[in-house]
Amino acid sequence: MSNEKNLENMADLVSLCKRRGFIFQSSEIYGGLGSCWDYGPLGIELKNNVKNTWWKAMTFRSDVEGLDASILMSPLVWKASGHIDNFTDPLVDCKECKARFRADKIELDAPCPNCKAEDSFTEPREFNLMFETHMGPVKGSGAEVYLRPETAQGIFVNFLNVQSTMRKKLPFGIAQIGKAFRNEITPGNFIFRTREFEQMEMQYFVKPGEQKKFMDEGKEIRYQWHLDNGIRKENLRFHPHGPDELAHYADAAEDIEYKFPIGWDEMEGIHSRTDFDLKQHAELSGKNLNYVDQADGNKKYLPYVIETSVGCDRHLLALLCDAYRLENEGTKEERTVLKFKPHIAPVKIAVMPLMKKPQLEECATNILNELQKNYKCEYDVSGSIGKRYRRQDEIGTPLCITVDFDSLEDNAVTIRDRDSMKQERIEISKIGQYVREQLGF
Ligand code: GAP
């Protein structure tokens, strides 16, 4: 396509998402709640598509089982995992304007970035990022629980339950999708960093010594998944953690980074976590979490773990950024298109009677009812056909079907392809087959 521009500015995407019903600010009528977002009708379709493709890729294999652990867990879980003691950011306050900053993100001997006061910062203090709440009716010591800051610990504490009930042998994995909460100090950039988000994590349990092989395998599988969802190769790269970045429990870690309009940043983490988590939980709970390796003389040991952890919202943001195109800017052919792959697109097919006429509407409704047995469709009857096409382009609908007066004579419709804008005349009886071929499912 001639004269095609990628997304350059996050604000353009935020505006499209609001305008077209993808993502709204949380509690908007009350002025909004910082860094919390609501997924609208199209956003939830997109999100479900992301989760479904991840779930299928990660659990439709005989060596991986699924799990849905509760968000609230025993506070001892977070003691064992190190989150109570170490999941902190260093904070400073400006004594003049009371603004709060992460000490590792600003220069402490420079003026306050907010009010420009000199020498105004307090000493750095450690601030725990977990949200605390209370269980039961009585507030007070002993009743504190936390909203989980990662889904991973629900998997570690269920390691033996899953292994024994499903009779798994190493190597095997446990996968989970769920909400996580972090009281981030510097959230922002739309849904890139929020205080409530969803993670899609898989912990793969392996024999100690074999972690490198499975780390390499995990990297390859996860990289390919991002490509399969339509992210362009030139916008993806690995970032291996150097010794200064590596978490104390990991013997290797790499991020898959995406080139967001704000620059390259982490989309997914792949971590070789050793036996740190299982060891900590075994110690604090006093429970024996050993795996008995029948393939190796009934040796007992704690497996090592390769973790792949991707933010559902962050991958979704990358998909939106990558799909966004502005074509023929400033001309009368200008259009904004989300070039989603069909399995990612929130709406697969739009069905449009050319005009509001009973016979056209009846024919279009029959086609719609047939198609929406299998596909998420939209029915649109208002405005010029050109405007309706533009709206579908902007939400990324791969196919538009138009019923016109000829359809009543020749029993055929016009099907328009989003990317090429080519139109084909297809017999109504062959729509199902045509759509299946075009969408690929
Ligand atoms: N269990 C490992 C773990 O939680 P992480 O690197 O802290 O690792 C994994 O998080 C992924 O979760 C990140 O790569 C990112 O996609 C997503 N994520 C983390 N914090 C987030 C936040 N505040 N908002 C949105 N997504 C976040």
Side-chain angles (χ1 to χ4, degrees):
M1 168 57 60
S2 60
N3 195 3
E4 176 180 276
K5 268 168 76 175
N6 292 320
L7 179 70
E8 287 170 357
N9 187 340
M10 195 73 98
D12 293 340
L13 185 66
V14 177
S15 148
L16 186 154
C17 285
K18 164 88 202 279
R19 195 169 65 245
R20 293 304 189 192
F22 281 89
I23 299 170
F24 310 123
Q25 199 183 6
S26 160
S27 320
E28 193 181 357
I29 59 167
Y30 289 101
L33 180 68
S35 294
C36 293
W37 299 90
D38 296 344
Y39 285 83
L42 296 187
I44 181 61
E45 290 297 331
L46 182 59
K47 202 177 199 194
N48 283 342
N49 293 342
V50 167
K51 289 196 223 174
N52 288 339
T53 132
W54 186 88
W55 193 254
K56 199 168 167 195
M58 301 307 275
T59 72
F60 286 19
R61 40 188 276 189
S62 52
D63 58 344
V64 179
E65 302 291 344
L67 183 76
D68 183 20
S70 66
I71 288 173
L72 299 176
M73 303 178 76
S74 163
L76 293 175
V77 169
W78 308 111
K79 185 73 190 157
S81 66
H83 283 85
I84 288 182
D85 297 324
N86 303 319
F87 195 53
T88 55
D89 278 341
L91 268 194
V92 289
D93 292 320
C94 170
K95 290 181 216 152
E96 292 297 323
C97 70
K98 312 292 178 217
R100 191 162 269 188
F101 303 95
R102 261 177 70 171
D104 53 340
K105 298 280 177 194
I106 59 166
E107 284 186 41
L108 294 176
D109 47 6
C112 166
N114 191 41
C115 70
K116 312 293 175 226
E118 304 270 352
D119 283 332
S120 67
F121 294 123
T122 57
E123 284 299 305
R125 304 174 282 123
E126 290 301 323
F127 172 81
N128 196 294
L129 300 185
M130 282 197 294
F131 279 98
E132 195 179 306
T133 184
H134 304 271
M135 196 123 178
V138 187
K139 272 194 184 179
S141 153
E144 294 84 16
V145 289
Y146 302 94
L147 302 186
R148 65 181 176 202
E150 62 171 10
T151 52
Q153 298 304 325
I155 288 180
F156 292 126
V157 299
N158 277 297
F159 159 71
L160 264 195
N161 284 337
V162 175
Q163 188 269 324
S164 57
T165 53
M166 304 311 285
R167 296 167 293 129
K168 301 311 279 188
K169 306 259 182 282
L170 292 189
F172 77 92
I174 306 177
Q176 176 168 221
I177 300 177
K179 290 263 183 176
F181 303 82
R182 296 182 188 177
N183 201 358
E184 301 278 5
I185 318 298
T186 48
N189 288 316
F190 197 25
I191 54 169
F192 179 82
R193 182 170 286 108
T194 52
R195 296 195 169 106
E196 174 178 343
F197 55 98
E198 268 183 286
Q199 287 188 317
M200 306 187 287
E201 296 199 294
M202 201 265 269
Q203 271 65 33
Y204 202 66
F205 298 89
V206 307
K207 192 172 176 171
E210 295 187 348
Q211 65 269 33
K212 164 106 180 55
K213 179 174 106 191
F214 290 109
M215 173 92 186
D216 291 345
E217 195 182 289
K219 275 172 51 186
E220 206 171 295
I221 290 173
R222 297 304 307 145
Y223 183 80
Q224 188 57 45
W225 182 78
H226 292 282
L227 292 179
D228 291 346
N229 283 350
I231 304 259
R232 284 169 283 177
K233 208 171 189 160
E234 63 267 28
N235 293 334
L236 273 185
R237 72 178 186 194
F238 281 108
H239 165 75
H241 287 206
D244 50 332
E245 288 172 281
L246 210 53
H248 61 282
Y249 51 75
D251 65 7
E254 290 204 28
D255 294 336
I256 298 180
E257 292 191 336
Y258 177 73
K259 196 176 177 188
F260 291 97
I262 48 170
W264 286 99
D265 217 321
E266 173 183 345
M267 182 159 54
E268 168 151 12
I270 301 159
H271 312 121
S272 175
R273 291 181 76 118
T274 67
D275 59 358
F276 172 82
D277 303 270
L278 289 180
K279 201 193 264 168
Q280 289 291 104
H281 288 305
E283 234 169 80
L284 200 67
S285 68
K287 296 285 184 314
N288 179 359
L289 300 181
N290 277 336
Y291 172 76
V292 182
D293 192 343
Q294 290 166 350
D296 191 5
N298 285 337
K299 251 193 216 155
K300 296 184 181 63
Y301 55 81
L302 292 173
Y304 270 34
V305 172
I306 302 299
E307 163 185 84
T308 70
S309 176
V310 58
C312 177
D313 315 77
R314 210 175 274 186
H315 175 71
L316 186 148
L317 178 62
L319 288 174
L320 281 163
C321 293
D322 218 84
Y324 185 99
R325 304 281 196 295
L326 177 59
E327 290 179 357
N328 301 317
E329 191 183 11
T331 72
K332 58 180 195 319
E333 271 86 48
E334 176 174 321
R335 66 168 189 156
T336 304
V337 201
L338 291 181
K339 291 195 168 175
F340 289 131
K341 282 212 172 178
H343 72 289
I344 294 295
V347 176
K348 314 299 183 200
I349 307 155
V351 181
M352 309 169 167
L354 186 64
M355 294 171 77
K356 266 191 190 161
K357 296 277 178 203
Q359 289 148 302
L360 296 186
E361 291 219 61
E362 190 189 339
C363 177
T365 307
N366 288 341
I367 294 171
L368 176 78
N369 288 342
E370 206 43 48
L371 286 172
Q372 53 189 18
K373 288 179 188 162
N374 294 312
Y375 306 104
K376 179 72 187 168
C377 299
E378 267 202 6
Y379 184 78
D380 190 357
V381 71
S382 56
S384 74
I385 204 77
K387 278 209 178 111
R388 283 184 260 169
Y389 281 155
R390 290 291 178 269
R391 180 177 178 278
Q392 295 302 330
D393 289 342
E394 225 185 356
I395 65 171
T397 307
L399 298 173
C400 289
I401 298 181
T402 305
V403 176
D404 53 27
F405 289 103
D406 288 345
S407 306
L408 307 176
E409 306 296 323
D410 67 0
N411 282 319
V413 292
T414 301
I415 306 193
R416 175 208 186 242
D417 176 82
R418 177 196 67 202
D419 296 345
S420 67
M421 294 190 277
K422 289 220 173 82
Q423 304 191 359
E424 279 193 73
R425 200 78 188 157
I426 303 293
E427 270 178 49
I428 291 177
S429 62
K430 297 205 173 119
I431 291 178
Q433 187 194 339
Y434 180 87
V435 160
R436 225 173 4 262
E437 279 166 17
Q438 296 298 310
L439 298 179
F441 50 86

